[in-house]
Amino acid sequence: MTSNNQPVAFNWPVISGLLLIMAIPGIPAIIIITLVLLGQTDVLGMADVIHPQYLAAPAAILTHAMAGVTFFLTMPWQFSPRLRIRYPRWHKLAGRVAVIAGCTMALSGIWLHLVLSPNELGGRFISLVVMSIAIVGAFSVAVWQIVRGQVAGHKKWMMRAVAISLAAITPLFIGVIVHLVLGHWQETIAPLLTLYHDYDRLVAMLINLVVVEWLSKKPQKAGEPNRSAMSSPLCEK
């Protein structure tokens, strides 16, 4: 309950949406971790899922996948006002874990690319590096905001950091739309599609950030706790 006895929203639509979206890479990551730890790829016809280099040099994929799974399991719950109010210590601990996992996931993505495709350092690698740096930067600003006691700024930067993180997944949805709408002209626009493939993460970052900025400007809903009632995820004692 808030101080004026209004119920605090759990925010199920956002949390459920994030869980579903993050499950797209999260569930395969769990499978990959299991198979790599078992040291085999022929379990239940999963040979096509496991890159041979995963077993030859497992450190990069295990770091990236474990960080991704941790991020998938912790980050969505940070957007529940009810959990922030009722369980502030849990929110603080889970927030720290989620931020560390997100930054680890971002940086290990660069490491994984260099392990799997050391000779591919063109546009796609550049966009990966830009996205990874942006993720770490956004989370760093979010942490700095809450250290300074700026709860509203912290919330906005956490939203931006998650939006940038999801830029790794957004191209899947864009690809489906492009195939449905422009499927008959794929040969004609092949050079444009190749360019997009190289920089799809940057395009997805832009789209996600525009959506987040739009959502952050929406009026506060009834039952949403005000800023002073919000608990800090990283600085509470």
Side-chain angles (χ1 to χ4, degrees), residues 24-75:
I24 295 173
I27 293 176
I30 294 173
I31 297 173
I32 290 173
I33 290 171
T34 303
L35 295 179
V36 170
L37 290 177
L38 289 174
Q40 53 186 312
T41 62
D42 57 353
V43 179
L44 299 177
M46 290 291 181
D48 293 336
V49 178
I50 304 296
H51 193 290
Q53 192 67 16
Y54 289 174
L55 299 180
I61 183 58
L62 287 177
T63 301
H64 185 68
M66 288 179 177
V69 171
T70 303
F71 188 75
F72 158 55
L73 295 175
T74 56
M75 182 52 71

Side-chain angles (χ1 to χ4, degrees), residues 33-171:
I33 290 171
T34 303
L35 295 179
V36 170
L37 290 177
L38 289 174
Q40 53 186 312
T41 62
D42 57 353
V43 179
L44 299 177
M46 290 291 181
D48 293 336
V49 178
I50 304 296
H51 193 290
Q53 192 67 16
Y54 289 174
L55 299 180
I61 183 58
L62 287 177
T63 301
H64 185 68
M66 288 179 177
V69 171
T70 303
F71 188 75
F72 158 55
L73 295 175
T74 56
M75 182 52 71
W77 308 102
Q78 296 301 299
F79 292 90
S80 171
R82 186 180 301 175
L83 292 179
R84 286 198 295 263
I85 297 299
R86 293 187 178 181
Y87 307 102
R89 292 183 180 275
W90 176 90
H91 178 65
K92 176 184 66 174
L93 177 61
R96 289 174 174 173
V97 172
V99 167
I100 293 172
C103 293
T104 302
M105 177 181 66
L107 296 177
S108 63
I110 300 174
W111 178 20
L112 183 61
H113 179 97
L114 293 175
V115 169
L116 299 181
S117 308
N119 298 321
E120 297 179 12
L121 303 178
R124 191 154 184 81
F125 176 70
I126 293 173
S127 65
L128 172 63
V129 172
V130 171
M131 183 186 73
S132 299
I133 293 174
I135 291 171
V136 175
F139 275 126
S140 298
V141 174
V143 171
W144 177 241
Q145 289 287 328
I146 201 61
V147 167
R148 296 172 59 238
Q150 302 296 321
V151 176
H154 169 71
K155 289 174 60 182
K156 287 182 179 180
W157 278 100
M158 286 293 283
M159 290 174 65
R160 290 165 182 160
V162 172
I164 298 171
S165 301
L166 294 180
I169 307 172
T170 303

Side-chain angles (χ1 to χ4, degrees), residues 1-12 77-87 91 151-152 155 218-232 236:
M1 293 296 214
T2 60
S3 57
N4 57 2
N5 294 324
Q6 291 182 344
V8 179
F10 195 94
N11 205 13
W12 272 117
W77 308 102
Q78 296 301 299
F79 292 90
S80 171
R82 186 180 301 175
L83 292 179
R84 286 198 295 263
I85 297 299
R86 293 187 178 181
Y87 307 102
H91 178 65
V151 176
K155 289 174 60 182
K218 292 179 68 176
Q220 186 173 313
K221 295 181 179 180
E224 183 82 9
N226 58 37
R227 294 177 183 176
S228 62
M230 300 292 290
S231 55
S232 304
E236 293 163 6

Side-chain angles (χ1 to χ4, degrees), residues 172-215:
L172 298 177
F173 298 98
I174 298 177
V176 172
I177 295 173
V178 170
H179 178 73
L180 292 175
V181 176
L182 302 175
H184 295 293
W185 295 278
Q186 286 192 9
E187 293 185 4
T188 304
I189 61 174
L192 182 61
L193 292 178
T194 300
L195 181 65
Y196 167 73
H197 176 72
D198 288 340
Y199 298 98
D200 57 356
R201 294 185 180 97
L202 301 184
V203 174
M205 279 175 52
L206 178 61
I207 294 173
N208 291 357
L209 287 172
V210 168
V211 172
V212 162
E213 294 304 315
W214 175 72
L215 291 175

